[in-house]
Amino acid sequence: MAHTICIANQKGGVGKTTTAVNLAAALAVAKKKTLLVDCDPQANATTGLGIDKRKISKTLYHGLIGQADAADIISETGIPYLSVMPSRTELIGFEVEMMADDDREKALSRLLAPCAGDFDFIIIDCPPSLSLLTLNAMTASNAVLITLQCEFYALEGLGQLMQTIKRIKQGLNPGLNIEGILLTMFDARTNLSNQVAENAVKYFKNMVFKTRIPRTVRIGEAPSYGKPIIFYDPSSPGSTSYLALAKEVRNGKQRKEKIVIL
């Protein structure tokens, strides 16, 4: 059965999609069968893997509203061991269409259940909001990976996200835990980045991954070529960092230490 991780933070521009794409690719490189689920209507994870959205007949949206099965949606990426459940902007209509459905928070769980045994990992890219799509992602997951950018006000709003995770754990998904907190856009040369990192470790201790994702131009360039950083520039610091993150996730250090939401 797949270990399902959603990448979440209600803030935009904190490296969620970048992490979802590159973590999924790095797990695939380690020969772990991985499915990337693009649960963001912006569909940046889909294009980040070089998928032409115009040529897709069925997307995550069709699966969530019951018009397609997982097998009809999943596409190959050209990267061995990596598949994707693509998205398009139509996904934005999901919340309106499912408003009257009593089990609307479990639509993604129902969709993924038949294929969960086919993968080692399922990585879900969430939208930058605590929306119904994000609730679906958390309900369908074993754990949440939180991206935390090393910038001013980074910790602001994290409490709200933790409370949301806690409520979902108490109700919709008792098995939900925190995979870890990932520091992104880290620049060791600046006092600010180092201060944010120190505060994160001070407050969240073993929840924080040892790996830190650096702020680099190459990571930002890679999506425009439809490639994860480990294929766009394999020797870059960004590539090295995401491979290290994948190793931490594979080893399951956080899971072995049983990080839970209090």
Side-chain angles (χ1 to χ4, degrees):
M1 189 65 67
H3 180 58
T4 304
I5 304 169
C6 66
I7 316 292
N9 192 320
Q10 71 268 35
K11 287 188 175 185
V14 298
K16 286 189 301 298
T17 298
T18 298
T19 295
V21 169
N22 288 292
L23 173 58
L27 289 168
V29 166
K31 297 186 178 180
K32 298 296 183 182
K33 291 191 68 177
T34 304
L35 173 65
L36 175 61
V37 179
D38 190 349
C39 204
D40 186 347
Q42 296 178 84
N44 290 332
T46 299
T47 54
L49 286 175
I51 305 294
D52 188 344
K53 292 178 286 189
R54 297 169 299 180
K55 296 180 180 179
I56 303 170
S57 58
K58 299 290 184 180
T59 68
L60 178 61
Y61 166 77
H62 298 97
L64 291 177
I65 65 172
Q67 291 185 359
D69 296 327
D72 301 323
I73 305 168
I74 295 173
S75 301
E76 298 306 314
T77 63
I79 298 173
Y81 296 95
L82 180 59
S83 301
V84 63
M85 194 171 278
S87 183
R88 275 195 305 246
T89 53
E90 63 210 3
L91 183 58
I92 201 168
F94 164 71
E95 301 201 21
V96 176
E97 297 200 31
M98 297 295 287
M99 194 65 69
D101 192 315
D102 290 337
D103 286 328
R104 56 187 176 271
E105 297 92 351
K106 298 180 180 179
L108 184 57
S109 295
R110 293 194 296 268
L111 179 64
L112 293 177
C115 68
D118 298 332
F119 297 95
D120 298 306
F121 288 92
I122 298 176
I123 306 298
I124 306 174
D125 182 32
C126 294
S129 63
L130 297 179
S131 62
L132 181 57
L133 285 167
T134 301
L135 294 181
N136 263 267
M138 291 185 182
T139 302
S141 298
N142 305 120
V144 182
L145 190 157
I146 301 168
T147 53
L148 185 70
Q149 83 279 27
C150 293
E151 295 180 354
F152 198 59
Y153 293 135
L155 298 175
E156 187 179 85
L158 200 54
Q160 183 184 0
L161 177 60
M162 291 293 193
Q163 285 302 311
T164 299
I165 296 170
K166 181 178 179 180
R167 286 195 294 271
I168 291 174
K169 184 177 176 68
Q170 291 172 339
L172 293 166
N173 186 1
L176 183 67
N177 288 308
I178 294 178
E179 186 74 17
I181 296 172
L182 176 67
L183 298 173
T184 63
M185 305 177 193
F186 179 77
D187 187 344
R189 300 169 299 179
T190 68
N191 290 332
L192 180 58
S193 280
N194 286 295
Q195 187 64 54
V196 171
E198 288 174 14
N199 288 338
V201 172
K202 176 182 177 181
Y203 291 118
F204 299 107
K205 299 180 172 60
N206 66 321
M207 287 189 187
V208 182
F209 285 105
K210 289 184 172 58
T211 301
R212 298 174 182 181
I213 307 302
R215 180 187 293 277
T216 71
V217 173
R218 302 298 275 176
I219 289 178
E221 288 176 347
S224 64
Y225 291 87
K227 294 181 179 181
I229 185 63
I230 60 177
F231 293 100
Y232 176 65
D233 190 349
S235 62
S236 68
S239 176
T240 302
S241 295
Y242 275 112
L243 289 170
L245 173 64
K247 185 175 181 179
E248 284 197 70
V249 170
R250 294 198 319 274
N251 290 342
K253 177 178 181 294
Q254 274 77 9
R255 294 195 294 282
K256 289 174 184 174
E257 292 178 358
K258 296 184 179 179
I259 290 179
V260 296
I261 301 107
L262 301 177

